[in-house]
């Protein structure tokens, strides 16, 4: 039997997401977490993250530095921190392992364990069952949702950041490396909201201008009551339609909620927007999911 059943596909089409148990074994989850702990242990913290600036001019530099660091991270493994984890000398005031919000955006290309999980036969069979002819990997992230300080993610649609024409070509894969519950910040969805298009886009601004990205359209407010939680067991996965509205709470619990997540796009008959922040590079074109 397929890992993804007809019923799962139907649920994804109707609700815009589906939760599946047992994509990874607990041991596979632990191997990924262990590897990430090593990566964080060895990380170089970029200067602009460490330094606290005081003057107006320096504040601008800091912002430009942060913006550059982000917008050129598509083919790199880079570190994005929680707020308030450095003191004014740029030293950590929390344990290093607890300081990182996420690591992105090319673990799928450069880290062998993450690459293996991304292109696993199960993953390929999921994409085939979804009817994807030429899926390619766009980006990947490791998200920590640190206990006590892991911030909330406000309601959004992934296609705001990963825009294609036509829409409906991007799918997120969100793998719980630890159990995700309503207490430690699991995802919440508005079922069916993928059917109404998107309300805003993040686009690159013209070269040489600042900020480097801007939003077109309005951030919508959503009715709190419409969100449904999507708890996931360790090793389980959530498949996320590019246009479904979702969010997650801050993590007020004692336990972290580590996740490995990546996005794929059906390349057949699809135009990847040149205005998206993320662009394929010579170094790293979007790799095809199917390896066989
Ligand atoms: Fe998202």
């Amino acid at each position: 039997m397929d890992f993804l059943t007809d019923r799962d596909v139907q649920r994804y089409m109707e609700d815009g997401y589906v939760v599946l148990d047992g994509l990874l074994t607990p041991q596979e989850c632990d191997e990924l977490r262990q590897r990430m702990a090593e990566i964080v242990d060895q990380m170089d913290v970029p200067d602009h993250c460490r330094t606290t600036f005081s003057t107006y001019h320096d504040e601008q530099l800091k912002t430009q530095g942060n913006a550059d660091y982000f917008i050129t991270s598509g083919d790199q493994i880079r570190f994005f921190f929680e707020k308030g984890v450095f003191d004014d000398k740029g030293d950590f005031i929390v344990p290093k392992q607890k300081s990182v919000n996420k690591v992105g955006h090319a673990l799928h290309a450069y880290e062998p364990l993450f690459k293996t999980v991304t292109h696993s036969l199960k993953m390929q069979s999921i994409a085939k069952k979804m009817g994807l002819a030429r899926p390619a990997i766009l980006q990947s992230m490791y998200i920590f949702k640190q206990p006590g300080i892991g911030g909330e993610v406000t309601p959004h649609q992934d296609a705001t950041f990963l825009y294609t024409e036509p829409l409906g070509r991007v799918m997120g894969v969100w793998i719980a490396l630890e159990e995700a519950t309503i207490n430690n910040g699991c995802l919440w969805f508005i079922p069916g909201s993928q059917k109404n298009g998107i309300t805003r886009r993040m686009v690159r601004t013209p070269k040489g201008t600042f900020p480097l990205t801007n939003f077109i359209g309005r951030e919508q407010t959503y009715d709190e009551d419409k969100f449904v939680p999507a708890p996931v067991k360790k090793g389980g996965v959530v498949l996320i339609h590019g246009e479904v509205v979702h969010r997650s709470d801050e993590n007020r619990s004692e336990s972290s909620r580590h996740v490995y997540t990546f996005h794929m796009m059906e390349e057949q008959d699809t135009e990847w927007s040149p205005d998206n922040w993320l662009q394929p590079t010579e170094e790293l074109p979007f790799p095809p999911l199917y390896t066989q």
Side-chain angles (χ1 to χ4, degrees):
M1 198 180 83
D2 291 327
F3 180 71
L4 192 68
T5 65
D6 289 335
R7 185 135 184 269
D8 296 328
V9 176
Q10 199 185 345
R11 197 165 276 170
Y12 177 87
M13 297 303 179
E14 276 168 21
D15 294 343
Y17 70 100
V18 63
V19 180
L20 309 164
D21 285 339
L23 179 76
L24 301 183
T25 65
Q27 194 196 339
E28 287 171 319
C29 294
D30 292 344
E31 283 166 10
L32 292 172
R33 288 171 56 211
Q34 181 52 40
R35 177 60 197 140
M36 184 46 68
E38 290 166 16
I39 293 170
V40 170
D41 208 46
Q42 293 156 11
M43 73 181 164
D44 287 322
V45 180
D47 283 347
H48 67 88
C49 295
R50 295 199 85 111
T51 320
T52 302
F53 296 102
S54 52
T55 67
Y56 176 75
H57 179 68
D58 284 347
E59 187 61 39
Q60 295 298 298
L61 278 181
K62 176 187 168 193
T63 313
Q64 175 87 48
N66 274 318
D68 284 338
Y69 185 74
F70 165 72
I71 210 159
T72 57
S73 66
D75 59 1
Q76 306 287 323
I77 293 174
R78 291 194 173 164
F79 304 90
F80 301 90
F81 296 91
E82 293 290 350
K83 280 193 196 110
V85 297
F86 298 110
D87 66 14
D88 53 11
K89 293 196 193 80
D91 294 321
F92 284 111
I93 53 176
V94 303
K96 200 179 185 183
Q97 293 286 345
K98 296 268 166 71
S99 68
V100 187
N101 170 288
K102 66 181 177 188
V103 174
H105 289 92
L107 291 160
H108 63 284
Y110 300 130
E111 275 296 321
L113 278 182
F114 289 91
K115 188 174 185 174
T116 301
V117 166
T118 306
H119 295 272
S120 71
L121 292 181
K122 255 185 197 169
M123 208 57 248
Q124 296 189 39
S125 81
I126 287 173
K128 279 176 190 152
K129 185 81 184 182
M130 284 285 189
L132 303 181
R134 282 200 293 126
I137 311 300
L138 301 171
Q139 61 162 15
S140 54
M141 291 182 280
Y142 190 104
I143 303 173
F144 295 79
K145 205 74 155 179
Q146 305 282 5
I149 59 170
E152 74 170 326
V153 178
T154 55
H156 67 278
Q157 298 167 292
D158 291 345
T160 289
F161 308 94
L162 308 171
Y163 183 77
T164 60
E165 283 180 9
L167 282 169
R169 296 295 215 262
V170 168
M171 179 170 81
V173 176
W174 195 94
I175 306 170
L177 304 182
E178 298 180 291
E179 187 179 19
T181 69
I182 53 172
N183 295 319
N184 70 357
C186 72
L187 293 172
W188 293 68
F189 290 92
I190 300 183
S193 54
Q194 80 282 4
K195 294 171 184 167
N196 306 320
I198 61 166
T199 59
R200 88 188 161 130
R201 280 191 62 191
M202 188 176 89
V203 295
R204 283 177 178 250
T205 52
K207 266 206 162 64
T209 60
F210 194 82
L212 304 181
T213 58
N214 249 336
F215 284 99
I216 298 175
R218 278 186 309 124
E219 188 171 18
Q220 202 167 311
T221 46
Y222 298 98
D223 188 350
E224 255 318 285
D225 298 344
K226 288 191 175 152
F227 284 93
V228 174
V232 193
K233 292 188 194 121
K234 179 173 177 172
V237 61
V238 191
L239 305 178
I240 306 170
H241 189 288
E243 283 99 79
V244 73
V245 177
H246 57 288
R247 65 172 181 82
S248 67
D249 286 335
E250 56 192 5
N251 182 3
R252 293 189 202 87
S253 81
E254 301 284 301
S255 39
S256 54
R257 193 226 61 190
H258 288 201
V259 161
Y260 173 56
T261 181
F262 61 90
H263 285 84
M264 64 176 80
M265 167 180 69
E266 167 65 278
E267 282 197 307
Q268 185 163 286
D269 301 325
T270 306
E271 192 199 339
W272 177 250
S273 172
D275 297 329
N276 286 334
W277 78 267
L278 175 72
Q279 293 298 324
T281 61
E282 227 168 274
E283 173 95 338
L284 183 62
F286 296 146
L289 174 71
Y290 299 149
T291 53
Q292 62 173 56

